[in-house]
Amino acid sequence: MPGVEHLHELLGLPAVDFELETGGTVRPEAGEAAWRLRVDPYDDERDDAWGQQFDAFLEAVDPAGVRALIIGQWGETYEKNSSYPIGLVVAAADRLTSLEAVFVGDLEMEEAEISWIEQSDVTALLSAYPALTELGVRGGSRLVFPPVRHASLRALTIESGGLPREVVRGVLDSELPALERLELWLGVSAYGGDAALRDLAPLLSGTRFPRLHHLGLRNSELENEIATAIASAPVVARLRTLDLSSGTLSDEGAAALLEGQPLTHLTALDLHHHFLTEPMERRVVEALEPHGVRVDLSERCEPWDGRGAAGRYTTVAE
């Protein structure tokens, strides 16, 4: 799972692993950390190991002060889906009264490939926590996101090697009037990423999410098609930052971006992990950086085995 690692922060707070025994070190105050709870299923084979750690966390750290929670490995994640930890967090809503941010599935490759992370209906967290401002999810397998209304959510990130069409549609059919940042890792069809460009139409039309200013449509085998659509998409006018990184973007998509509507109002354009040629890289930089746009063109890639377009690959798939 190259390109995927444990979170270093959430809600601007440093990620801290909860340990019942601190070894003499001073534990941060409840609201000063993004608390990560995880178990090693090989060291602790109890079916309820994560739940027992969560109970211990609620006793050791003032739950009313907790602002950010990171759900790490909860067991053998390809056997037990995320409804297990999510259900426990939902049940504790009357104690976690200051919770603003949750990330579900903070696993690295050594713990589980992204396609092995069994998710569930993550909108249960939104229903239980009306004040939640950030929600992040890693893993698209069995992920469910029915349309939901939530007045407070400002940032939504879904990281996946293959994001199901129904999840994309559920997100875009949701009423999220406060949403400012949306990041979707669309992935590849071989790992369940069956969303087509037409499924993104409500988003690109600019009729959804009136406060949106950051859009990431990343890690996609359709990156050229997305870039071509972005070139004339009404949503772009309100954006400050645009992220089309980690996918199969080539000269074709980059040229469409440059030939479409102006992008000079952006503060940043992230295209890292791409398949642009050096001349096209120069064109992008010369068109945008004089206007103050920060352009990330790091990680130029070459197609596998000289196979041209068929050899292009995303950062994350399996």
Side-chain angles (χ1 to χ4, degrees):
M1 199 157 53
V4 175
E5 58 184 19
H6 285 143
L7 267 64
H8 299 293
E9 63 174 34
L10 182 65
L11 199 70
L13 301 171
V16 173
D17 288 305
F18 170 72
E19 301 286 352
L20 186 58
E21 302 296 333
T22 64
T25 61
V26 178
R27 181 181 284 131
E29 293 295 323
E32 295 177 352
W35 295 98
R36 176 165 41 228
L37 278 71
R38 56 178 172 174
V39 298
D40 186 335
Y42 303 105
D43 287 344
D44 193 336
E45 298 181 355
R46 294 173 301 173
D47 287 341
D48 62 345
W50 197 93
Q52 290 194 26
Q53 187 187 58
F54 185 58
D55 288 341
F57 169 71
L58 294 178
E59 293 302 318
V61 176
D62 177 17
V66 174
R67 298 177 57 209
L69 185 65
I70 300 171
I71 299 176
Q73 188 162 28
W74 52 85
E76 291 287 10
T77 52
Y78 52 85
E79 294 179 352
K80 182 182 293 186
N81 68 35
S82 66
S83 65
Y84 164 52
I86 286 175
L88 295 174
V89 174
V90 165
D94 61 338
R95 301 181 69 185
L96 294 167
T97 52
S98 298
L99 195 63
E100 299 175 57
V102 180
F103 189 94
V104 185
D106 183 38
L107 282 77
E108 294 184 325
M109 181 175 62
E110 290 76 13
E111 297 166 308
E113 299 282 359
I114 198 168
S115 65
W116 299 357
I117 302 173
E118 295 289 321
Q119 286 289 353
S120 60
D121 184 351
V122 296
T123 63
L125 290 163
L126 295 176
S127 299
Y129 292 91
L132 207 68
T133 61
E134 294 190 20
L135 176 62
V137 182
R138 180 173 295 162
S141 180
R142 300 192 183 182
L143 179 62
V144 177
F145 200 108
V148 64
R149 190 182 194 287
H150 195 278
S152 303
L153 194 69
R154 295 202 298 264
L156 174 62
T157 299
I158 303 179
E159 303 175 357
S160 172
L163 197 58
R165 173 185 293 122
E166 289 307 311
V167 172
V168 173
R169 290 177 175 175
V171 170
L172 300 189
D173 285 341
S174 293
E175 296 292 331
L176 304 173
L179 194 69
E180 299 173 353
R181 300 180 59 85
L182 176 63
E183 187 171 304
L184 302 176
W185 295 21
L186 297 168
V188 302
S189 58
Y191 287 95
D194 59 355
L197 192 60
R198 63 179 175 275
D199 298 308
L200 300 173
L203 172 63
L204 300 181
S205 71
T207 60
R208 311 299 298 152
F209 316 137
R211 296 188 181 180
L212 194 71
H213 63 71
H214 170 82
L215 176 60
L217 296 173
R218 302 184 50 194
N219 195 55
S220 176
E221 62 186 353
L222 304 177
E223 213 68 67
N224 278 334
E225 291 91 334
I226 292 170
T228 300
I230 284 285
S232 60
V235 70
V236 173
R238 76 162 74 115
L239 298 179
R240 297 204 293 266
T241 51
L242 175 63
D243 187 344
L244 303 178
S245 67
S246 301
T248 58
L249 187 73
S250 67
D251 283 6
E252 175 189 343
L257 285 175
L258 294 181
E259 293 162 7
Q261 61 186 308
L263 300 176
T264 52
H265 65 291
L266 296 176
T267 60
L269 174 64
D270 191 344
L271 303 179
H272 83 269
H273 178 101
H274 62 84
F275 294 83
L276 276 61
T277 61
E278 289 188 47
M280 181 56 73
E281 283 187 350
R282 287 195 295 271
R283 280 188 59 190
V284 173
V285 169
E286 291 169 359
L288 297 176
E289 288 197 346
H291 297 276
V293 183
R294 300 189 309 276
V295 181
D296 187 346
L297 284 164
S298 59
E299 299 180 42
R300 183 194 306 126
C301 304
E302 296 293 334
W304 280 324
D305 301 325
R307 293 164 54 200
R312 299 178 193 142
Y313 50 91
T314 62
T315 297
V316 176
E318 182 182 9

PDB file of all heavy atoms in Angstrom, residues 179-213:
ATOM      1  N   LEU A 179     -19.640  21.917   4.198  1.00  0.00           N
ATOM      2  CA  LEU A 179     -18.472  21.212   3.669  1.00  0.00           C
ATOM      3  C   LEU A 179     -17.548  22.151   2.896  1.00  0.00           C
ATOM      4  O   LEU A 179     -17.959  22.810   1.948  1.00  0.00           O
ATOM      5  CB  LEU A 179     -18.912  20.066   2.759  1.00  0.00           C
ATOM      6  CG  LEU A 179     -17.813  19.055   2.419  1.00  0.00           C
ATOM      7  CD1 LEU A 179     -17.431  18.240   3.646  1.00  0.00           C
ATOM      8  CD2 LEU A 179     -18.260  18.126   1.284  1.00  0.00           C
ATOM      9  N   GLU A 180     -16.288  22.186   3.329  1.00  0.00           N
ATOM     10  CA  GLU A 180     -15.274  23.022   2.696  1.00  0.00           C
ATOM     11  C   GLU A 180     -14.219  22.214   1.960  1.00  0.00           C
ATOM     12  O   GLU A 180     -13.635  22.699   0.993  1.00  0.00           O
ATOM     13  CB  GLU A 180     -14.580  23.894   3.752  1.00  0.00           C
ATOM     14  CG  GLU A 180     -15.525  24.844   4.481  1.00  0.00           C
ATOM     15  CD  GLU A 180     -14.838  25.561   5.617  1.00  0.00           C
ATOM     16  OE1 GLU A 180     -13.668  25.226   5.922  1.00  0.00           O
ATOM     17  OE2 GLU A 180     -15.468  26.456   6.216  1.00  0.00           O
ATOM     18  N   ARG A 181     -13.971  20.990   2.427  1.00  0.00           N
ATOM     19  CA  ARG A 181     -12.922  20.154   1.851  1.00  0.00           C
ATOM     20  C   ARG A 181     -13.479  18.769   1.567  1.00  0.00           C
ATOM     21  O   ARG A 181     -14.021  18.110   2.458  1.00  0.00           O
ATOM     22  CB  ARG A 181     -11.725  20.041   2.816  1.00  0.00           C
ATOM     23  CG  ARG A 181     -11.068  21.370   3.162  1.00  0.00           C
ATOM     24  CD  ARG A 181      -9.904  21.173   4.122  1.00  0.00           C
ATOM     25  NE  ARG A 181      -8.877  20.296   3.552  1.00  0.00           N
ATOM     26  CZ  ARG A 181      -7.906  20.715   2.748  1.00  0.00           C
ATOM     27  NH1 ARG A 181      -7.824  22.001   2.425  1.00  0.00           N
ATOM     28  NH2 ARG A 181      -7.014  19.863   2.268  1.00  0.00           N
ATOM     29  N   LEU A 182     -13.322  18.325   0.323  1.00  0.00           N
ATOM     30  CA  LEU A 182     -13.758  16.988  -0.076  1.00  0.00           C
ATOM     31  C   LEU A 182     -12.619  16.316  -0.828  1.00  0.00           C
ATOM     32  O   LEU A 182     -12.082  16.879  -1.790  1.00  0.00           O
ATOM     33  CB  LEU A 182     -14.992  17.066  -0.980  1.00  0.00           C
ATOM     34  CG  LEU A 182     -15.480  15.722  -1.548  1.00  0.00           C
ATOM     35  CD1 LEU A 182     -15.913  14.781  -0.430  1.00  0.00           C
ATOM     36  CD2 LEU A 182     -16.612  15.948  -2.533  1.00  0.00           C
ATOM     37  N   GLU A 183     -12.255  15.118  -0.367  1.00  0.00           N
ATOM     38  CA  GLU A 183     -11.190  14.369  -1.013  1.00  0.00           C
ATOM     39  C   GLU A 183     -11.652  12.931  -1.212  1.00  0.00           C
ATOM     40  O   GLU A 183     -11.974  12.236  -0.242  1.00  0.00           O
ATOM     41  CB  GLU A 183      -9.919  14.407  -0.164  1.00  0.00           C
ATOM     42  CG  GLU A 183      -8.717  13.792  -0.831  1.00  0.00           C
ATOM     43  CD  GLU A 183      -7.436  14.048  -0.055  1.00  0.00           C
ATOM     44  OE1 GLU A 183      -7.120  15.234   0.195  1.00  0.00           O
ATOM     45  OE2 GLU A 183      -6.770  13.068   0.308  1.00  0.00           O
ATOM     46  N   LEU A 184     -11.692  12.498  -2.462  1.00  0.00           N
ATOM     47  CA  LEU A 184     -12.096  11.145  -2.806  1.00  0.00           C
ATOM     48  C   LEU A 184     -10.969  10.464  -3.564  1.00  0.00           C
ATOM     49  O   LEU A 184     -10.515  10.974  -4.592  1.00  0.00           O
ATOM     50  CB  LEU A 184     -13.362  11.167  -3.679  1.00  0.00           C
ATOM     51  CG  LEU A 184     -14.602  11.849  -3.102  1.00  0.00           C
ATOM     52  CD1 LEU A 184     -15.717  11.866  -4.133  1.00  0.00           C
ATOM     53  CD2 LEU A 184     -15.057  11.175  -1.816  1.00  0.00           C
ATOM     54  N   TRP A 185     -10.520   9.312  -3.050  1.00  0.00           N
ATOM     55  CA  TRP A 185      -9.563   8.486  -3.769  1.00  0.00           C
ATOM     56  C   TRP A 185     -10.382   7.473  -4.561  1.00  0.00           C
ATOM     57  O   TRP A 185     -10.906   6.508  -4.001  1.00  0.00           O
ATOM     58  CB  TRP A 185      -8.633   7.771  -2.801  1.00  0.00           C
ATOM     59  CG  TRP A 185      -7.736   8.652  -1.998  1.00  0.00           C
ATOM     60  CD1 TRP A 185      -7.888   9.984  -1.721  1.00  0.00           C
ATOM     61  CD2 TRP A 185      -6.531   8.246  -1.331  1.00  0.00           C
ATOM     62  NE1 TRP A 185      -6.865  10.433  -0.931  1.00  0.00           N
ATOM     63  CE2 TRP A 185      -6.012   9.394  -0.673  1.00  0.00           C
ATOM     64  CE3 TRP A 185      -5.848   7.045  -1.216  1.00  0.00           C
ATOM     65  CZ2 TRP A 185      -4.844   9.358   0.076  1.00  0.00           C
ATOM     66  CZ3 TRP A 185      -4.681   7.003  -0.460  1.00  0.00           C
ATOM     67  CH2 TRP A 185      -4.182   8.145   0.168  1.00  0.00           C
ATOM     68  N   LEU A 186     -10.490   7.669  -5.864  1.00  0.00           N
ATOM     69  CA  LEU A 186     -11.425   6.892  -6.677  1.00  0.00           C
ATOM     70  C   LEU A 186     -10.902   5.503  -7.018  1.00  0.00           C
ATOM     71  O   LEU A 186     -11.684   4.571  -7.198  1.00  0.00           O
ATOM     72  CB  LEU A 186     -11.771   7.679  -7.941  1.00  0.00           C
ATOM     73  CG  LEU A 186     -12.483   9.006  -7.649  1.00  0.00           C
ATOM     74  CD1 LEU A 186     -12.537   9.861  -8.896  1.00  0.00           C
ATOM     75  CD2 LEU A 186     -13.881   8.761  -7.109  1.00  0.00           C
ATOM     76  N   GLY A 187      -9.589   5.345  -7.149  1.00  0.00           N
ATOM     77  CA  GLY A 187      -9.005   4.030  -7.335  1.00  0.00           C
ATOM     78  C   GLY A 187      -9.205   3.450  -8.718  1.00  0.00           C
ATOM     79  O   GLY A 187      -9.380   4.166  -9.708  1.00  0.00           O
ATOM     80  N   VAL A 188      -9.216   2.123  -8.769  1.00  0.00           N
ATOM     81  CA  VAL A 188      -9.228   1.402 -10.040  1.00  0.00           C
ATOM     82  C   VAL A 188     -10.365   0.389 -10.045  1.00  0.00           C
ATOM     83  O   VAL A 188     -10.810  -0.092  -9.005  1.00  0.00           O
ATOM     84  CB  VAL A 188      -7.879   0.693 -10.296  1.00  0.00           C
ATOM     85  CG1 VAL A 188      -6.735   1.707 -10.292  1.00  0.00           C
ATOM     86  CG2 VAL A 188      -7.619  -0.392  -9.259  1.00  0.00           C
ATOM     87  N   SER A 189     -10.811   0.044 -11.257  1.00  0.00           N
ATOM     88  CA  SER A 189     -11.944  -0.873 -11.396  1.00  0.00           C
ATOM     89  C   SER A 189     -11.619  -2.266 -10.875  1.00  0.00           C
ATOM     90  O   SER A 189     -12.501  -2.972 -10.373  1.00  0.00           O
ATOM     91  CB  SER A 189     -12.370  -0.945 -12.864  1.00  0.00           C
ATOM     92  OG  SER A 189     -11.287  -1.361 -13.687  1.00  0.00           O
ATOM     93  N   ALA A 190     -10.361  -2.679 -10.957  1.00  0.00           N
ATOM     94  CA  ALA A 190      -9.982  -4.022 -10.511  1.00  0.00           C
ATOM     95  C   ALA A 190     -10.194  -4.209  -9.015  1.00  0.00           C
ATOM     96  O   ALA A 190     -10.292  -5.350  -8.536  1.00  0.00           O
ATOM     97  CB  ALA A 190      -8.522  -4.297 -10.866  1.00  0.00           C
ATOM     98  N   TYR A 191     -10.278  -3.122  -8.275  1.00  0.00           N
ATOM     99  CA  TYR A 191     -10.496  -3.207  -6.833  1.00  0.00           C
ATOM    100  C   TYR A 191     -11.787  -2.495  -6.419  1.00  0.00           C
ATOM    101  O   TYR A 191     -11.897  -1.963  -5.323  1.00  0.00           O
ATOM    102  CB  TYR A 191      -9.292  -2.656  -6.072  1.00  0.00           C
ATOM    103  CG  TYR A 191      -8.120  -3.607  -6.141  1.00  0.00           C
ATOM    104  CD1 TYR A 191      -7.132  -3.450  -7.098  1.00  0.00           C
ATOM    105  CD2 TYR A 191      -8.042  -4.702  -5.289  1.00  0.00           C
ATOM    106  CE1 TYR A 191      -6.071  -4.343  -7.198  1.00  0.00           C
ATOM    107  CE2 TYR A 191      -6.993  -5.599  -5.377  1.00  0.00           C
ATOM    108  CZ  TYR A 191      -6.009  -5.420  -6.326  1.00  0.00           C
ATOM    109  OH  TYR A 191      -4.973  -6.326  -6.417  1.00  0.00           O
ATOM    110  N   GLY A 192     -12.774  -2.524  -7.309  1.00  0.00           N
ATOM    111  CA  GLY A 192     -14.102  -2.040  -6.958  1.00  0.00           C
ATOM    112  C   GLY A 192     -14.384  -0.596  -7.285  1.00  0.00           C
ATOM    113  O   GLY A 192     -15.463  -0.091  -6.968  1.00  0.00           O
ATOM    114  N   GLY A 193     -13.439   0.104  -7.918  1.00  0.00           N
ATOM    115  CA  GLY A 193     -13.658   1.515  -8.255  1.00  0.00           C
ATOM    116  C   GLY A 193     -14.453   1.644  -9.544  1.00  0.00           C
ATOM    117  O   GLY A 193     -13.891   1.898 -10.609  1.00  0.00           O
ATOM    118  N   ASP A 194     -15.759   1.497  -9.448  1.00  0.00           N
ATOM    119  CA  ASP A 194     -16.596   1.470 -10.651  1.00  0.00           C
ATOM    120  C   ASP A 194     -17.311   2.791 -10.926  1.00  0.00           C
ATOM    121  O   ASP A 194     -18.204   2.858 -11.769  1.00  0.00           O
ATOM    122  CB  ASP A 194     -17.604   0.327 -10.580  1.00  0.00           C
ATOM    123  CG  ASP A 194     -18.536   0.407  -9.364  1.00  0.00           C
ATOM    124  OD1 ASP A 194     -18.342   1.305  -8.509  1.00  0.00           O
ATOM    125  OD2 ASP A 194     -19.447  -0.434  -9.274  1.00  0.00           O
ATOM    126  N   ALA A 195     -16.940   3.848 -10.208  1.00  0.00           N
ATOM    127  CA  ALA A 195     -17.554   5.157 -10.480  1.00  0.00           C
ATOM    128  C   ALA A 195     -17.074   5.684 -11.828  1.00  0.00           C
ATOM    129  O   ALA A 195     -15.901   5.602 -12.163  1.00  0.00           O
ATOM    130  CB  ALA A 195     -17.193   6.149  -9.378  1.00  0.00           C
ATOM    131  N   ALA A 196     -18.003   6.201 -12.616  1.00  0.00           N
ATOM    132  CA  ALA A 196     -17.696   6.785 -13.917  1.00  0.00           C
ATOM    133  C   ALA A 196     -17.758   8.309 -13.815  1.00  0.00           C
ATOM    134  O   ALA A 196     -18.240   8.867 -12.820  1.00  0.00           O
ATOM    135  CB  ALA A 196     -18.690   6.287 -14.964  1.00  0.00           C
ATOM    136  N   LEU A 197     -17.270   8.957 -14.851  1.00  0.00           N
ATOM    137  CA  LEU A 197     -17.246  10.420 -14.847  1.00  0.00           C
ATOM    138  C   LEU A 197     -18.642  10.998 -14.635  1.00  0.00           C
ATOM    139  O   LEU A 197     -18.806  12.006 -13.939  1.00  0.00           O
ATOM    140  CB  LEU A 197     -16.651  10.921 -16.159  1.00  0.00           C
ATOM    141  CG  LEU A 197     -16.279  12.404 -16.214  1.00  0.00           C
ATOM    142  CD1 LEU A 197     -15.237  12.754 -15.171  1.00  0.00           C
ATOM    143  CD2 LEU A 197     -15.768  12.760 -17.611  1.00  0.00           C
ATOM    144  N   ARG A 198     -19.650  10.355 -15.187  1.00  0.00           N
ATOM    145  CA  ARG A 198     -21.016  10.870 -15.043  1.00  0.00           C
ATOM    146  C   ARG A 198     -21.477  10.885 -13.584  1.00  0.00           C
ATOM    147  O   ARG A 198     -22.342  11.680 -13.208  1.00  0.00           O
ATOM    148  CB  ARG A 198     -21.988  10.054 -15.893  1.00  0.00           C
ATOM    149  CG  ARG A 198     -22.099   8.591 -15.505  1.00  0.00           C
ATOM    150  CD  ARG A 198     -23.096   7.853 -16.385  1.00  0.00           C
ATOM    151  NE  ARG A 198     -23.132   6.419 -16.095  1.00  0.00           N
ATOM    152  CZ  ARG A 198     -22.310   5.526 -16.627  1.00  0.00           C
ATOM    153  NH1 ARG A 198     -21.396   5.920 -17.507  1.00  0.00           N
ATOM    154  NH2 ARG A 198     -22.412   4.248 -16.313  1.00  0.00           N
ATOM    155  N   ASP A 199     -20.899   9.998 -12.765  1.00  0.00           N
ATOM    156  CA  ASP A 199     -21.281   9.979 -11.351  1.00  0.00           C
ATOM    157  C   ASP A 199     -20.785  11.212 -10.605  1.00  0.00           C
ATOM    158  O   ASP A 199     -21.292  11.536  -9.527  1.00  0.00           O
ATOM    159  CB  ASP A 199     -20.743   8.713 -10.689  1.00  0.00           C
ATOM    160  CG  ASP A 199     -21.319   7.443 -11.298  1.00  0.00           C
ATOM    161  OD1 ASP A 199     -22.555   7.358 -11.394  1.00  0.00           O
ATOM    162  OD2 ASP A 199     -20.541   6.561 -11.693  1.00  0.00           O
ATOM    163  N   LEU A 200     -19.777  11.888 -11.166  1.00  0.00           N
ATOM    164  CA  LEU A 200     -19.233  13.097 -10.555  1.00  0.00           C
ATOM    165  C   LEU A 200     -19.949  14.369 -11.014  1.00  0.00           C
ATOM    166  O   LEU A 200     -19.638  15.454 -10.528  1.00  0.00           O
ATOM    167  CB  LEU A 200     -17.743  13.211 -10.874  1.00  0.00           C
ATOM    168  CG  LEU A 200     -16.850  12.070 -10.382  1.00  0.00           C
ATOM    169  CD1 LEU A 200     -15.427  12.251 -10.928  1.00  0.00           C
ATOM    170  CD2 LEU A 200     -16.827  12.006  -8.867  1.00  0.00           C
ATOM    171  N   ALA A 201     -20.881  14.229 -11.939  1.00  0.00           N
ATOM    172  CA  ALA A 201     -21.525  15.399 -12.544  1.00  0.00           C
ATOM    173  C   ALA A 201     -22.141  16.357 -11.527  1.00  0.00           C
ATOM    174  O   ALA A 201     -21.968  17.584 -11.649  1.00  0.00           O
ATOM    175  CB  ALA A 201     -22.570  14.944 -13.570  1.00  0.00           C
ATOM    176  N   PRO A 202     -22.878  15.881 -10.510  1.00  0.00           N
ATOM    177  CA  PRO A 202     -23.449  16.839  -9.544  1.00  0.00           C
ATOM    178  C   PRO A 202     -22.388  17.674  -8.838  1.00  0.00           C
ATOM    179  O   PRO A 202     -22.623  18.839  -8.519  1.00  0.00           O
ATOM    180  CB  PRO A 202     -24.194  15.933  -8.554  1.00  0.00           C
ATOM    181  CG  PRO A 202     -24.448  14.669  -9.295  1.00  0.00           C
ATOM    182  CD  PRO A 202     -23.256  14.488 -10.197  1.00  0.00           C
ATOM    183  N   LEU A 203     -21.237  17.080  -8.592  1.00  0.00           N
ATOM    184  CA  LEU A 203     -20.140  17.793  -7.938  1.00  0.00           C
ATOM    185  C   LEU A 203     -19.517  18.809  -8.885  1.00  0.00           C
ATOM    186  O   LEU A 203     -19.329  19.987  -8.535  1.00  0.00           O
ATOM    187  CB  LEU A 203     -19.090  16.793  -7.478  1.00  0.00           C
ATOM    188  CG  LEU A 203     -17.773  17.352  -6.926  1.00  0.00           C
ATOM    189  CD1 LEU A 203     -18.035  18.165  -5.665  1.00  0.00           C
ATOM    190  CD2 LEU A 203     -16.798  16.216  -6.650  1.00  0.00           C
ATOM    191  N   LEU A 204     -19.192  18.375 -10.095  1.00  0.00           N
ATOM    192  CA  LEU A 204     -18.512  19.254 -11.045  1.00  0.00           C
ATOM    193  C   LEU A 204     -19.405  20.401 -11.498  1.00  0.00           C
ATOM    194  O   LEU A 204     -18.904  21.468 -11.878  1.00  0.00           O
ATOM    195  CB  LEU A 204     -18.037  18.439 -12.253  1.00  0.00           C
ATOM    196  CG  LEU A 204     -17.043  17.312 -11.929  1.00  0.00           C
ATOM    197  CD1 LEU A 204     -16.635  16.588 -13.198  1.00  0.00           C
ATOM    198  CD2 LEU A 204     -15.817  17.844 -11.202  1.00  0.00           C
ATOM    199  N   SER A 205     -20.703  20.209 -11.425  1.00  0.00           N
ATOM    200  CA  SER A 205     -21.631  21.260 -11.872  1.00  0.00           C
ATOM    201  C   SER A 205     -21.637  22.459 -10.948  1.00  0.00           C
ATOM    202  O   SER A 205     -22.135  23.535 -11.309  1.00  0.00           O
ATOM    203  CB  SER A 205     -23.056  20.698 -11.956  1.00  0.00           C
ATOM    204  OG  SER A 205     -23.577  20.462 -10.654  1.00  0.00           O
ATOM    205  N   GLY A 206     -21.113  22.269  -9.729  1.00  0.00           N
ATOM    206  CA  GLY A 206     -21.094  23.371  -8.776  1.00  0.00           C
ATOM    207  C   GLY A 206     -22.391  23.560  -8.030  1.00  0.00           C
ATOM    208  O   GLY A 206     -22.550  24.531  -7.289  1.00  0.00           O
ATOM    209  N   THR A 207     -23.331  22.625  -8.176  1.00  0.00           N
ATOM    210  CA  THR A 207     -24.624  22.755  -7.503  1.00  0.00           C
ATOM    211  C   THR A 207     -24.618  22.132  -6.112  1.00  0.00           C
ATOM    212  O   THR A 207     -25.595  22.265  -5.375  1.00  0.00           O
ATOM    213  CB  THR A 207     -25.738  22.094  -8.334  1.00  0.00           C
ATOM    214  OG1 THR A 207     -25.430  20.707  -8.512  1.00  0.00           O
ATOM    215  CG2 THR A 207     -25.849  22.756  -9.695  1.00  0.00           C
ATOM    216  N   ARG A 208     -23.548  21.435  -5.759  1.00  0.00           N
ATOM    217  CA  ARG A 208     -23.438  20.809  -4.448  1.00  0.00           C
ATOM    218  C   ARG A 208     -22.434  21.570  -3.577  1.00  0.00           C
ATOM    219  O   ARG A 208     -21.519  22.206  -4.077  1.00  0.00           O
ATOM    220  CB  ARG A 208     -22.970  19.348  -4.578  1.00  0.00           C
ATOM    221  CG  ARG A 208     -23.723  18.515  -5.587  1.00  0.00           C
ATOM    222  CD  ARG A 208     -25.191  18.411  -5.242  1.00  0.00           C
ATOM    223  NE  ARG A 208     -25.405  17.749  -3.968  1.00  0.00           N
ATOM    224  CZ  ARG A 208     -26.465  17.983  -3.193  1.00  0.00           C
ATOM    225  NH1 ARG A 208     -27.372  18.875  -3.542  1.00  0.00           N
ATOM    226  NH2 ARG A 208     -26.599  17.336  -2.047  1.00  0.00           N
ATOM    227  N   PHE A 209     -22.624  21.515  -2.286  1.00  0.00           N
ATOM    228  CA  PHE A 209     -21.635  21.972  -1.314  1.00  0.00           C
ATOM    229  C   PHE A 209     -21.193  23.416  -1.581  1.00  0.00           C
ATOM    230  O   PHE A 209     -20.094  23.686  -2.062  1.00  0.00           O
ATOM    231  CB  PHE A 209     -20.430  21.037  -1.310  1.00  0.00           C
ATOM    232  CG  PHE A 209     -20.782  19.572  -1.337  1.00  0.00           C
ATOM    233  CD1 PHE A 209     -20.095  18.682  -2.151  1.00  0.00           C
ATOM    234  CD2 PHE A 209     -21.820  19.080  -0.548  1.00  0.00           C
ATOM    235  CE1 PHE A 209     -20.416  17.334  -2.178  1.00  0.00           C
ATOM    236  CE2 PHE A 209     -22.158  17.725  -0.566  1.00  0.00           C
ATOM    237  CZ  PHE A 209     -21.451  16.855  -1.390  1.00  0.00           C
ATOM    238  N   PRO A 210     -22.022  24.371  -1.243  1.00  0.00           N
ATOM    239  CA  PRO A 210     -21.767  25.770  -1.589  1.00  0.00           C
ATOM    240  C   PRO A 210     -20.509  26.373  -0.980  1.00  0.00           C
ATOM    241  O   PRO A 210     -20.002  27.372  -1.493  1.00  0.00           O
ATOM    242  CB  PRO A 210     -23.022  26.502  -1.082  1.00  0.00           C
ATOM    243  CG  PRO A 210     -23.624  25.575  -0.065  1.00  0.00           C
ATOM    244  CD  PRO A 210     -23.320  24.200  -0.547  1.00  0.00           C
ATOM    245  N   ARG A 211     -19.971  25.798   0.096  1.00  0.00           N
ATOM    246  CA  ARG A 211     -18.778  26.359   0.737  1.00  0.00           C
ATOM    247  C   ARG A 211     -17.496  25.640   0.331  1.00  0.00           C
ATOM    248  O   ARG A 211     -16.420  25.959   0.849  1.00  0.00           O
ATOM    249  CB  ARG A 211     -18.927  26.307   2.264  1.00  0.00           C
ATOM    250  CG  ARG A 211     -20.071  27.187   2.785  1.00  0.00           C
ATOM    251  CD  ARG A 211     -20.056  27.255   4.299  1.00  0.00           C
ATOM    252  NE  ARG A 211     -21.155  28.069   4.809  1.00  0.00           N
ATOM    253  CZ  ARG A 211     -21.386  28.309   6.096  1.00  0.00           C
ATOM    254  NH1 ARG A 211     -20.572  27.791   7.015  1.00  0.00           N
ATOM    255  NH2 ARG A 211     -22.407  29.041   6.477  1.00  0.00           N
ATOM    256  N   LEU A 212     -17.586  24.722  -0.592  1.00  0.00           N
ATOM    257  CA  LEU A 212     -16.418  23.924  -0.970  1.00  0.00           C
ATOM    258  C   LEU A 212     -15.315  24.812  -1.545  1.00  0.00           C
ATOM    259  O   LEU A 212     -15.550  25.605  -2.452  1.00  0.00           O
ATOM    260  CB  LEU A 212     -16.824  22.885  -2.024  1.00  0.00           C
ATOM    261  CG  LEU A 212     -15.817  21.769  -2.289  1.00  0.00           C
ATOM    262  CD1 LEU A 212     -15.762  20.809  -1.108  1.00  0.00           C
ATOM    263  CD2 LEU A 212     -16.179  21.015  -3.563  1.00  0.00           C
ATOM    264  N   HIS A 213     -14.088  24.667  -1.005  1.00  0.00           N
ATOM    265  CA  HIS A 213     -12.956  25.418  -1.570  1.00  0.00           C
ATOM    266  C   HIS A 213     -11.746  24.525  -1.844  1.00  0.00           C
ATOM    267  O   HIS A 213     -10.785  24.959  -2.470  1.00  0.00           O
ATOM    268  CB  HIS A 213     -12.567  26.614  -0.698  1.00  0.00           C
ATOM    269  CG  HIS A 213     -12.093  26.268   0.678  1.00  0.00           C
ATOM    270  ND1 HIS A 213     -10.876  25.672   0.932  1.00  0.00           N
ATOM    271  CD2 HIS A 213     -12.673  26.463   1.895  1.00  0.00           C
ATOM    272  CE1 HIS A 213     -10.719  25.504   2.214  1.00  0.00           C
ATOM    273  NE2 HIS A 213     -11.795  25.970   2.836  1.00  0.00           N
TER     274      HIS A 213
END
